[in-house]
Amino acid sequence: MNTKYRKTIIAGNWKMNMLASDVKPFVDELKTYLPKTRSCDTVLCVPAVNICSMLKYGKEAKIICGAQDVSEHDKGAYTGDISAAQLNDIGVKYCIVGHSERRAYYAEGDLKVNAKVKKLLENKIHPIICVGESLEQREKNLTMSHINYQIRAALSGIELSELRHCVIAYEPIWAIGTGKTATSEQAQEVCCEIRAIIREMYGARPARSISILYGGSMNAKNAAELLAQPDVDGGLIGGASLKPADFAEIIKATGADNE
Ligand code: 13P
């Protein structure tokens, strides 16, 4: 982390877990573990049906509510979709885009990811843009070229003034839900490369100030080491964000309890 130049963000991704009725007990328990002041943004990206509960109960605990997906369209006949305007209307501040699960199970390609990023920015929601390589790509030494492609595609047509509202999350697919975390060196290497790509695209200042998160089996035990890497500015956490005690430990690993 480099707290001088950029925001630290700890974002949970609940995926398709938890009921709306679980939100209040979760927040109540989380609050008991958290320091009063935090220097990181604490975000929970919850299922769409839990957003209103999270907005209501998370506020006191300074939890910023995020969504997990958004439509690439403005409005209309897109049954089941939720638009960026609808998310903004109820108070959603962050939204995950291009998660590898959506890319894999819903054939979400880079064009769609880019369109979603644009819709979110138009509606004043911070996109958390996920990129990451498969195990096969890593083994074939294709990690950096794949990341390079994904970043450039996701940010295609995004102005410098919009970039400052974007967050990037490096999530190696082989580390998601597998318990197999990237080593801190691997996480740092790719997050550093992502910053170098942003530097090439937008210049040194924006590259220095964009927050880049690591995701993939981050937990209470390994968070401190991952977050200690200079180019890792936070985490995108799946499984461990479902357990208040574990999620709180990750938040504390940002050093937030020193305040
Ligand atoms: P896990 O932390 O469960 O590996 O999930 C990571 C993830 O996909 C967050 O978006």
Side-chain angles (χ1 to χ4, degrees):
M1 293 179 301
N2 185 331
T3 51
K4 186 170 167 206
Y5 293 117
R6 38 195 185 259
K7 194 191 286 182
T8 305
I9 301 169
I10 297 296
N13 174 8
W14 277 7
K15 308 191 179 183
M16 198 172 71
N17 295 293
M18 306 288 244
L19 303 175
S21 55
D22 294 326
V23 172
K24 187 175 183 306
F26 178 95
V27 174
D28 284 346
E29 190 182 337
L30 181 65
K31 267 194 301 199
T32 65
Y33 304 126
L34 287 181
K36 278 208 177 61
T37 53
R38 269 168 266 158
S39 51
C40 66
D41 269 14
T42 308
V43 182
L44 274 168
C45 299
V46 299
V49 289
N50 296 357
I51 287 175
C52 289
S53 301
M54 187 53 81
L55 284 165
K56 182 172 170 188
Y57 298 115
K59 203 170 177 182
E60 207 196 309
K62 295 200 181 72
I63 292 171
I64 304 168
C65 190
Q68 298 176 9
D69 186 34
V70 68
S71 171
E72 72 268 36
H73 304 290
D74 283 326
K75 61 165 155 176
Y78 300 101
T79 302
D81 272 6
I82 298 174
S83 73
Q86 289 169 327
L87 292 177
N88 174 51
D89 182 46
I90 56 171
V92 168
K93 301 288 181 218
Y94 284 86
C95 183
I96 295 171
V97 202
H99 192 281
S100 61
E101 287 151 16
R102 293 212 63 86
R103 292 182 193 254
Y105 308 146
Y106 304 94
E108 228 176 75
D110 292 301
L111 275 178
K112 217 179 218 195
V113 171
N114 178 242
K116 289 182 178 196
V117 169
K118 287 178 176 158
K119 287 295 163 221
L120 289 170
L121 291 169
E122 277 167 25
N123 287 281
K124 310 213 174 328
I125 297 173
H126 302 286
I128 302 177
I129 303 165
C130 299
V131 296
E133 81 287 2
S134 65
L135 188 57
E136 198 188 348
Q137 286 168 322
R138 177 159 281 269
E139 284 170 352
K140 287 186 178 157
N141 220 5
L142 294 172
T143 299
M144 296 311 186
S145 57
H146 179 67
I147 300 285
N148 191 26
Y149 184 83
Q150 282 188 319
I151 297 277
R152 287 178 191 275
L155 294 176
S156 169
I158 303 299
E159 304 286 333
L160 176 57
S161 59
E162 299 171 306
L163 181 78
R164 49 191 199 93
H165 301 292
C166 295
V167 177
I168 313 270
Y170 167 53
E171 296 210 311
I173 298 170
W174 48 271
I176 296 177
T178 57
K180 204 176 162 194
T181 322
T183 63
S184 48
E185 291 78 19
Q186 287 171 325
Q188 166 59 21
E189 188 186 23
V190 181
C191 289
C192 178
E193 176 67 18
I194 292 172
R195 206 174 298 289
I197 298 165
I198 300 291
R199 193 176 303 121
E200 244 183 70
M201 293 175 77
Y202 294 95
R205 262 177 175 236
R208 200 173 58 184
S209 42
I210 192 165
S211 296
I212 303 174
L213 318 184
Y214 167 79
S217 299
M218 189 186 265
N219 58 39
K221 289 207 172 76
N222 60 28
E225 195 185 331
L226 287 159
L227 294 168
Q229 301 308 307
D231 287 296
V232 178
D233 304 310
L236 183 55
I237 300 115
S241 74
L242 299 168
K243 298 175 206 135
D246 289 10
F247 193 52
E249 282 307 311
I250 298 172
I251 293 165
K252 288 186 196 166
T254 64
D257 56 342
N258 296 334
E259 288 214 347

